[in-house]
Amino acid sequence: MILVTGGAGFIGANFVLDWLAQRDEPIVTLDKLTYAGNLQNLASLDGDARHTFVRGDIADTALVTQLLARHRPRAIVHFAAESHVDRSIDGPGDFLHTNVVGTFRLLEAARAYWSGLDAAAQAAFRFLHVSTDEVYGSLAPQAPAFTEQHPYQPNSPYSATKAASDHLVRAWFHTYGLPVLTTNCSNNYGPLHFPEKLIPLVILNALEGKPLPIYGDGLQIRDWLYVRDHCSGIRRVLEAGTPGETYNIGGHNEMTNLAIVRHICALLDALRPRHDGQSYAEQIRFVADRPGHDRRYAIDASKIQRELGWQPAETFDSGIRKTVQWYLDNAAWVESVRTGAYRDWLRRQYAP
Ligand code: NAD
Ligand code: DAU
């Protein structure tokens, strides 16, 4: 049994689905179902006895303590977070609550539970903290990619709160001996990605005839990884990582935002041509830049490859093609997210 936090979100849901497709070890998913949490992401698990969903906040110590006592997990995989940089600029409060206070309370509940285990179970227990390359800050054009030794230089409220949570996790290992693992991953893309983020936003706006907004000059660089490769990296770290260590995860796919958007437009031109015969690239619009916008991220993933034998399965070309096709094939998911209908279950379940 493992406890997964944030399992109704983009990466968490892909992780839960992949895990249960490959093994029978049960999962308890704890998720607050913020705007980013979508139970439809886990709908294929309805009636599956291996999966238990609990709606709740990682900062709710009483709830987490009760879940740990009842389900006795051998590991916690911690995805739950506020994850969108633009939202963190508009309102950092929720980011402080979940990413910092929430992670702190989760660590404390985990420590209390872990302290009560017998020696063998204590040694086997893992707290895996899912983090980001954004904690390292922005790279100069010719600088080598981020290694695990790169100094922490977070620049957005989001990355500052993720950096804070990484430091808490580290401290709980060094001070209390809690067997923690931290992964720092580059930009993910793939199925179930909420369309506030660049790639799904561009796919859906293109199909709806809307502008494709490019911040600033569009020459910022991100390093893209297909979400299921991130999930396989996390599984590998969980099974073979050394407690107290951090592992970078990335796919060696540095690309400018403009190149990404043009690539998606070209795919859509081939798969779902515009009625007027024009390219979707006609819809590109340059808009005001994101404040404090990091210019470049790039991950050096040689440690996880060398020490744990992990490598991504997808190239950018294969992963983005699957992703675009997924959005074309999943009109019902897209529609419910675009209209907000994916929140109906919540409204019915928790109506006053
Ligand atoms: P997401 O925003 O899609 O999902 C976050 C999930 O956490 C949602 O289901 C939400 O309801 C839940 N949640 C939020 N606050 C909560 C709380 N207080 N208690 C319980 N649940 C809560 O995020 P994502 O893109 O899937 O990212 C998951 C994790 O991976 C985050 O920790 C993020 O920092 C990290 N990460 C993301 C990327 C990326 O490219 N998306 C890359 C590297 C690391
Ligand atoms: O690097 C890992 C991080 O990647 C994760 O930790 C974050 O949770 C995740 O949201 C993502 O952060 P980014 O800010 O890089 O992702 P986003 O999709 O918001 O933006 C990608 C790039 O595209 C970024 O340079 C900003 C730009 N952008 C984004 C949007 C939404 C645009 O140019 N136009 C847009 O409309």
Side-chain angles (χ1 to χ4, degrees), residues 3 42 45 74-75 101 134 138 152-153 172 178 180 205 234 250 259 268 271 283 291 294 350:
L3 175 67
L42 301 172
L45 298 176
R74 69 168 177 96
V101 177
E134 298 203 12
S138 190
Y152 271 42
Q153 295 170 332
W172 260 241
L178 187 70
V180 305
N205 275 15
I234 291 170
L268 287 173
L271 294 169
Q283 292 165 229
D294 285 337
Y350 296 98

Side-chain angles (χ1 to χ4, degrees), residues 92-135:
D94 288 347
F95 290 71
L96 270 293
H97 169 79
T98 290
N99 301 1
V100 184
V101 177
T103 300
F104 155 67
R105 296 221 179 115
L106 187 66
L107 280 166
E108 277 295 76
R111 182 166 75 91
Y113 164 70
W114 171 78
S115 303
L117 298 175
D118 64 38
Q122 275 194 358
F125 184 78
R126 296 289 182 268
F127 182 106
L128 192 152
H129 174 59
V130 179
S131 193
T132 169
D133 58 0
E134 298 203 12
V135 298

Side-chain angles (χ1 to χ4, degrees), residues 51-344:
H51 185 243
T52 305
F53 179 81
V54 178
R55 186 186 184 212
D57 193 326
I58 54 166
D60 182 344
T61 301
L63 172 65
V64 175
T65 301
Q66 181 202 62
L67 285 178
L68 293 171
R70 181 183 307 159
H71 296 285
R72 308 200 65 73
R74 69 168 177 96
I76 298 173
V77 184
H78 176 34
F79 291 95
E82 287 294 335
S83 69
H84 190 35
V85 173
D86 292 329
R87 285 179 192 259
S88 83
I89 295 167
D90 288 346
D94 288 347
F95 290 71
L96 270 293
H97 169 79
T98 290
N99 301 1
V100 184
V101 177
T103 300
F104 155 67
R105 296 221 179 115
L106 187 66
L107 280 166
E108 277 295 76
R111 182 166 75 91
Y113 164 70
W114 171 78
S115 303
L117 298 175
D118 64 38
Q122 275 194 358
F125 184 78
R126 296 289 182 268
F127 182 106
L128 192 152
H129 174 59
V130 179
S131 193
T132 169
D133 58 0
E134 298 203 12
V135 298
Y136 298 128
S138 190
L139 275 174
Q142 304 306 326
F146 300 127
T147 67
E148 289 79 359
Q149 278 70 48
H150 196 281
Y152 271 42
Q153 295 170 332
N155 293 319
S156 71
Y158 163 70
S159 55
T161 59
K162 290 299 289 188
S165 65
D166 291 11
H167 292 320
L168 292 173
V169 169
R170 175 188 163 88
W172 260 241
F173 172 75
H174 286 280
T175 304
Y176 305 113
L178 187 70
V180 305
L181 299 154
T182 295
T183 53
N184 294 91
C185 188
S186 59
N187 281 65
N188 285 214
Y189 66 98
L192 309 177
H193 207 178
F194 194 77
E196 63 185 352
K197 310 281 169 57
L198 179 71
I199 286 183
L201 180 83
V202 163
I203 297 170
L204 299 189
N205 275 15
L207 293 170
E208 292 168 13
K210 293 179 179 167
L212 311 181
I214 307 255
Y215 297 165
D217 63 6
L219 299 181
Q220 305 84 3
I221 290 172
R222 296 290 181 268
D223 189 351
W224 294 93
L225 182 70
Y226 191 63
V227 62
R228 298 185 67 173
D229 281 329
H230 187 187
C231 295
S232 74
I234 291 170
R235 289 197 302 274
R236 188 67 195 132
V237 171
L238 187 62
E239 68 194 9
T242 303
E245 291 290 308
T246 69
Y247 296 89
N248 282 351
I249 305 181
H252 308 290
N253 283 308
E254 282 188 66
M255 290 177 76
T256 66
N257 294 336
L258 195 51
I260 292 279
V261 173
R262 289 203 171 118
H263 194 108
I264 293 169
C265 289
L267 275 173
L268 287 173
D269 288 342
L271 294 169
R272 183 74 59 84
R274 263 173 48 157
H275 295 305
D276 62 4
Q278 300 278 311
S279 169
Y280 287 99
E282 295 293 320
Q283 292 165 229
I284 291 176
R285 297 288 178 275
F286 290 89
V287 301
D289 207 351
R290 173 186 278 174
H293 200 168
D294 285 337
R295 196 69 181 163
R296 176 179 168 232
Y297 304 141
I299 275 281
D300 179 340
S302 54
K303 176 178 174 180
I304 185 174
Q305 183 173 355
R306 190 179 58 247
E307 296 187 6
L308 306 183
W310 173 87
Q311 318 202 70
E314 302 290 344
T315 63
F316 184 75
D317 279 3
S318 65
I320 195 69
R321 183 171 284 277
K322 284 184 180 174
T323 303
V324 170
Q325 194 63 56
W326 187 87
Y327 281 90
L328 291 173
D329 291 346
N330 285 273
W333 185 94
V334 168
E335 166 80 3
S336 73
V337 168
R338 288 301 237 191
T339 60
Y342 75 108
R343 311 280 295 164
D344 285 354

